Amino acid sequence: MNTTDYLEFLERTALTGLELSEQERTRFAHPPLISVICDGAMDLSAQSYRGFSLLRRAEAGSAQGDFLLFVPEGSVLSRDALYRFAFEIALGADFIYCDEDRVENGVRKEPRFKPDYSPETLMFVNYIGDCFAVSKRLFQSCGGVADEAHSLVLRLCGAAAKVAHIPRVLLTRGAVRESERRSFIPPAAFKSVSVIVISDRGRDELSRTLRGLESGSVYSNYSFYIADAAPHDSRLEKLYSALEKNGAARIIGGGESCNRAALLNRCAADAEGEYLLFLNAASYPVREDFLEQLMGILALDGVGAAGSMLINRDGTLHSCGTVVGLFGGLFSLYSGFAPRKNDPLYRNFAGTIRNVTVLPIDGLMTSRELFLQLCGFDETLQVAGFSEDYCLRLMAMGKRAVYNPNAELCVLQPLPVAIDAKNDMRLMDVFRPLLVSTDPFYNPNYDYNCGVPEVASAPVSPLILHSRNGKWV
């Protein structure tokens, strides 16, 4: 991230004298006592909130405060940090974390802009870190300090009634450790999968998908359903005939100009598998445990949809989960970029299992029971946005969508999508709230007019970006 841009961002978001005086005058109905836990020297004399005490980590168990705020040694809190933690406490949160950066040679740099609470992301990488506030009651009920920060944060967040994220840089570190990472995925239960392939090209592309899954997967409990939306020729018709004659696939026709969402709903209604996997023709798995990677994610409690890393044929990234509002539409970070495996930001987004708001249709797996419970895809979204809308409806019922980079899928460049006025209006109905409020799993301090995570030195809201370019996908 460009240091100059970040310094401009810090200047634009700096605490003003008026804000500071308003914070100092604020009177909470029940002002919490915050015990700040830090083993190093710390100066809190300039804090705008005065209800605190300063203790060492070994004294955390006997702290008198209503909340414990853990601060890593050698770090500095912004003047409004305690006030903002107290404000979230007043709103009912019992676990709170914030954004952070670090200082080197007197220059602040490398901000860590974090998403809102993301259970699956946290399971695999400790994106919260070791600076957080927690209620004393919750801290004691979870057994107190753990040897490993990741284990402690997982326990506390799992038991918290409300986890709050403050999207503001309140902590500056002297040095930053690499976030703790884990790679464990629960073993996938041996469940049946109905693979629904959207056939909208020709024989060769469809054959590549069928062969790719059969030869590239060690998992065998699946069956094929072909959603036929392709222009027909004799070669494709011969393939369809052979597949049905041999019982290798069920062909469900819709025609070239069909309603895609309705066609996929028909396939799902006929399917018998416990899980549904949607693939575009010409896509095929890169790893032989592709199905198991997605099924393992769906085995996690509260997960409603799992999605794949989509790789273009030239090795560049096509999708690592969709950001709602990026460029004013539904786009993926790092799309078209070569993998940057040594780049921490790339790893945090493209290279780690993480919660996302929505997923594209290609490589999407979900429970058939959930799919039917939600009445499938919204058929008013005839050509685009129906899988993303489905993920939003999962979220509304308390289920989460998870991107898994280990489920790699090689894709052919998608056919251009012509979104008509009716589809566009429905998309606006569905996504306007997020275009206004921003994607909860993409920090609002990032620039929505940039294809990589960059600080927004001159922010433009996703809604304005959409009105400028009018593009969704």
Side-chain angles (χ1 to χ4, degrees):
M1 182 170 289
N2 185 290
T3 301
T4 302
D5 286 345
Y6 184 53
L7 293 177
E8 290 178 1
F9 167 83
L10 289 175
E11 183 177 355
R12 177 175 58 81
T13 59
L15 182 69
T16 67
L18 178 60
E19 289 175 316
L20 185 63
S21 62
E22 288 178 347
Q23 290 177 10
E24 291 172 340
R25 290 197 303 268
T26 299
R27 296 294 178 264
F28 292 90
H30 302 284
L33 175 60
I34 301 176
S35 293
V36 181
I37 311 296
C38 184
D39 282 341
M42 191 161 220
D43 182 7
L44 300 176
S45 60
Q47 288 293 314
S48 60
Y49 182 77
R50 307 304 302 171
F52 67 87
S53 60
L54 183 59
L55 302 174
R56 294 193 172 275
R57 190 175 179 86
E59 303 172 298
S62 58
Q64 298 301 307
D66 306 291
F67 270 72
L68 311 179
L69 172 58
F70 289 89
V71 180
E73 186 176 355
S75 300
V76 176
L77 291 174
S78 67
R79 297 179 68 183
D80 58 336
L82 295 185
Y83 170 84
R84 292 185 184 277
F85 278 103
F87 190 84
E88 293 297 334
I89 292 169
L91 294 177
D94 51 2
F95 184 97
I96 308 152
Y97 62 99
C98 64
D99 294 343
E100 58 186 76
D101 63 8
R102 76 180 186 92
V103 64
E104 183 178 291
N105 298 324
V107 179
R108 292 175 65 180
K109 56 172 56 176
E110 297 177 13
R112 292 178 62 188
F113 293 137
K114 305 169 187 179
D116 285 355
Y117 178 46
S118 311
E120 280 67 46
T121 309
L122 185 61
M123 180 178 295
F124 294 99
V125 58
N126 184 14
Y127 73 88
I128 288 176
D130 52 3
C131 178
F132 53 84
V134 58
S135 71
K136 182 180 178 181
R137 175 200 57 76
L138 177 60
F139 181 73
Q140 292 177 336
S141 69
C142 289
V145 177
D147 293 334
E148 183 193 31
H150 198 173
S151 297
L152 176 60
V153 171
L154 282 169
R155 286 208 311 272
L156 294 174
C157 288
K162 180 182 178 182
V163 177
H165 166 225
I166 305 171
R168 187 176 174 90
V169 178
L170 302 181
L171 177 87
T172 297
R173 296 174 181 264
V176 179
R177 294 186 307 166
E178 172 68 11
S179 299
E180 304 166 43
R181 292 176 183 269
R182 298 175 174 183
S183 58
F184 172 75
I185 297 179
F190 192 72
K191 293 191 175 184
S192 57
V193 181
S194 293
V195 182
I196 299 174
V197 183
I198 306 169
S199 176
D200 57 359
R201 294 176 183 262
R203 174 192 172 107
D204 294 342
E205 288 78 7
L206 177 58
S207 296
R208 182 174 289 137
T209 298
L210 302 180
R211 288 197 308 268
L213 194 60
E214 289 178 336
S215 63
S217 175
V218 296
Y219 195 79
S220 59
N221 190 15
Y222 63 86
S223 55
F224 284 117
Y225 293 79
I226 310 300
D228 176 31
H232 280 216
D233 59 24
S234 60
R235 297 178 69 244
L236 182 62
E237 289 176 355
K238 286 180 181 178
L239 175 60
Y240 283 168
S241 177
L243 290 172
E244 290 201 303
K245 182 178 180 180
N246 297 327
R250 172 92 183 271
I251 315 298
I252 299 176
E256 288 184 66
S257 59
C258 69
N259 181 320
R260 294 293 180 90
L263 177 59
L264 295 178
N265 286 343
R266 285 177 56 197
C267 292
D270 283 4
E272 297 178 352
E274 294 165 275
Y275 288 152
L276 304 174
L277 170 65
F278 298 93
L279 295 177
N280 284 329
S283 299
Y284 58 88
V286 175
R287 293 173 43 153
E288 63 180 14
D289 62 346
F290 173 76
L291 292 174
E292 292 92 329
Q293 286 287 340
L294 294 176
M295 295 170 70
I297 294 297
L298 286 179
L300 298 171
D301 186 43
V303 175
S308 310
M309 171 186 273
L310 307 184
I311 304 292
N312 295 315
R313 297 290 167 82
D314 62 2
T316 59
L317 185 66
H318 181 72
S319 176
C320 60
T322 303
V323 175
V324 178
L326 193 66
F327 299 115
L330 305 172
F331 292 93
S332 171
L333 293 167
Y334 293 102
S335 181
F337 284 77
R340 299 176 171 183
K341 296 187 177 178
N342 293 324
D343 179 349
L345 266 178
Y346 177 90
R347 292 202 304 274
N348 288 342
F349 285 96
T352 192
I353 295 170
R354 75 181 204 280
N355 291 98
V356 293
T357 300
V358 298
L359 292 161
I361 187 66
D362 207 5
L364 172 72
M365 182 181 281
T366 189
S367 155
R368 180 174 180 270
E369 180 182 0
L370 268 180
F371 189 83
L372 297 180
Q373 184 179 342
L374 286 173
C375 300
F377 296 130
D378 184 342
E379 296 182 9
T380 64
L381 295 166
Q382 298 187 21
V383 294
F386 46 80
S387 68
E388 290 85 354
D389 166 77
Y390 174 73
C391 292
L392 287 189
R393 288 186 285 126
L394 281 174
M395 184 186 294
M397 69 181 301
K399 300 292 183 180
R400 298 182 297 277
V402 179
Y403 157 78
N404 185 356
N406 301 313
E408 293 183 53
L409 194 66
C410 188
V411 301
L412 192 65
Q413 191 67 23
L415 294 170
V417 178
I419 301 178
D420 61 21
K422 182 178 179 181
N423 205 132
D424 183 76
M425 290 175 64
R426 279 292 297 128
L427 280 169
M428 181 57 77
D429 289 342
V430 171
F431 291 104
R432 185 188 296 273
L434 285 177
L435 294 180
V436 173
S437 65
T438 71
D439 190 322
F441 297 116
Y442 194 60
N443 192 290
N445 292 312
Y446 284 130
D447 188 349
Y448 275 77
N449 202 29
C450 182
V452 297
E454 291 283 359
V455 65
S457 56
V460 180
S461 78
L463 186 61
I464 292 175
L465 288 173
H466 179 74
S467 67
R468 286 180 182 175
N469 63 40
K471 295 181 179 178
W472 285 106
V473 291

